[in-house]
Amino acid sequence: MRRRLVVGMVPAAAALAACGQAGAGAGGGAATKSEYVVAPLLGDLNALVTSINRGTVMSDFLKKETGLGVKTFAPGDYAGTLIGLRDGSIDFAFLPSPLFLRAQDEAGAQALYKTVRPGANKMPVPGFTSIIAVRADSGIAALKELAGKTIAVSDPTDATGWVMPGGHLKKNGVDPNKDARIQFRNSGADALVQLLTKKVDAAFAARHDLEHADVLKADADAAKTAKVLATVDNVPLEVVAVRKGVDAKVVDKFRAAFKSLGDTSKATFTKDGKSDSILGQWGITGLVETKDADFAALREAAKSIGLKLK
């Protein structure tokens, strides 16, 4: 699924502020608000209505847990989320980890939790393992041999399928932006399909993408056809962040509420007579507390490949 990239079209965030939902303005004051705005994760470029509907279920839960006014707002793209965290029109947000680093550097956002998702063998993990893969029959045996090659990678905001493996390749002597031909794809699974069908020389992906249905459809023996040249472990996924300036007592209430939201047996809603996990709408299986040190390697990799953080 193509993630929503950071682009320049951000009228939605400005509109939200104009409608009176913003906080104390740029930098954000600590005054108590009647309603706190939460931006959910965004999905397909054409699925804004879906994002809004999913967010409504989440805001209802957070409202009950905090006892405060809560509203979800899904910007048209993550640029809107970043601007909202900066100008105070968004108080809390889910966003990909590389974009959290930008929000932290640009606006002083703070990480509260990072997401847990199914990894290899469907086991829930708080961080994926990135892989740099080639075909086993390619004759490529070392990372330095990727110079001059075509590499399929995931989204530019994807820590697992671009930032961390890109930084690892740079550390090993090959600048992916200068020494190789980078081809951005819809996902890590898509990147692997390009590799397995001999359309590119290498691919960046998550290790568990080798188990993806699309990959296995392209090659039932994908794990044998592909050869992993390198791995990078514990790549942080998405982050639940709070903007700078939110009252500390309010942050504590939301911290507890998000912790409850991470309990997928408790944080549920009913749809078509069935009980479903609220976070499960995004494929998330839980939330775990996090600290700045968890993003140190990601920050280093992002800077090394020229990802703008401020």
Side-chain angles (χ1 to χ4, degrees):
M1 179 176 66
R2 170 61 69 180
R3 295 172 180 80
R4 291 180 178 271
L5 307 184
V6 177
V7 296
M9 298 175 63
V10 291
L16 179 64
C19 290
Q21 299 298 336
T32 301
K33 298 170 59 176
S34 61
E35 190 171 61
Y36 291 87
V37 179
V38 180
L41 283 177
L42 303 177
D44 260 348
L45 290 172
N46 297 318
L48 185 57
V49 173
T50 299
S51 295
I52 293 172
N53 291 339
R54 290 173 174 176
T56 299
V57 175
M58 182 170 67
S59 63
D60 288 345
F61 179 86
L62 294 174
K63 185 183 301 182
K64 180 179 178 181
E65 290 291 313
T66 62
L68 299 170
V70 181
K71 177 181 180 178
T72 50
F73 172 70
D77 54 46
Y78 281 120
T81 302
L82 291 172
I83 287 179
L85 288 171
R86 186 170 69 238
D87 69 12
S89 59
I90 291 174
D91 302 295
F92 299 86
F94 288 73
L95 69 172
S97 53
L99 295 185
F100 159 69
L101 293 181
R102 185 181 296 185
Q104 186 178 52
D105 287 4
E106 287 185 344
Q110 175 188 354
L112 300 179
Y113 294 93
K114 56 183 178 180
T115 61
V116 174
R117 288 183 177 272
N121 300 315
K122 307 300 182 183
M123 294 296 294
V125 291
F128 287 161
T129 295
S130 296
I131 62 172
I132 300 176
V134 296
R135 286 182 59 91
D137 60 6
S138 66
I140 299 173
L143 292 177
K144 63 182 181 181
E145 296 174 36
L146 293 182
K149 303 298 186 183
T150 301
I151 306 173
V153 306
S154 186
D155 192 289
T157 63
D158 186 355
T160 309
W162 168 236
V163 182
M164 289 301 286
H168 187 74
L169 187 59
K170 175 76 176 292
K171 188 181 294 185
N172 282 272
V174 179
D175 186 331
N177 290 309
K178 297 179 180 179
D179 304 328
R181 295 182 294 273
I182 296 301
Q183 185 182 113
F184 286 103
R185 306 300 304 182
N186 288 335
S187 65
D190 186 9
L192 286 173
V193 169
Q194 304 309 306
L195 172 66
L196 295 168
T197 54
K198 300 185 178 181
K199 295 178 181 177
V200 298
D201 303 301
F204 294 170
R207 182 188 289 279
H208 67 270
D209 284 333
L210 287 166
E211 304 169 5
H212 194 281
D214 291 344
V215 174
L216 295 177
K217 182 179 179 180
D219 188 332
D221 293 321
K224 294 181 179 179
T225 303
K227 178 172 70 173
V228 176
L229 291 181
T231 62
V232 184
D233 295 326
N234 301 316
V235 179
L237 309 177
E238 299 92 4
V239 176
V240 182
V242 56
R243 70 170 174 85
K244 181 180 180 181
V246 177
D247 182 81
K249 292 182 180 179
V250 171
V251 174
D252 287 343
K253 287 185 177 183
F254 272 90
R255 191 189 304 272
F258 281 122
K259 183 176 181 178
S260 296
L261 184 67
D263 183 347
T264 55
S265 65
K266 176 181 178 180
T268 61
F269 70 105
T270 301
K271 181 179 180 180
D272 299 329
K274 296 182 179 180
S275 179
D276 292 317
S277 161
I278 294 174
L279 288 181
Q281 298 177 103
W282 293 275
I284 298 171
T285 58
L287 299 173
V288 293
E289 292 187 13
T290 189
K291 54 187 182 300
D292 283 349
D294 295 336
F295 306 97
L298 177 63
R299 179 178 291 280
E300 179 183 354
K303 288 183 177 180
S304 74
I305 61 172
L307 185 68
K308 180 184 177 183
L309 295 182
K310 192 171 183 179

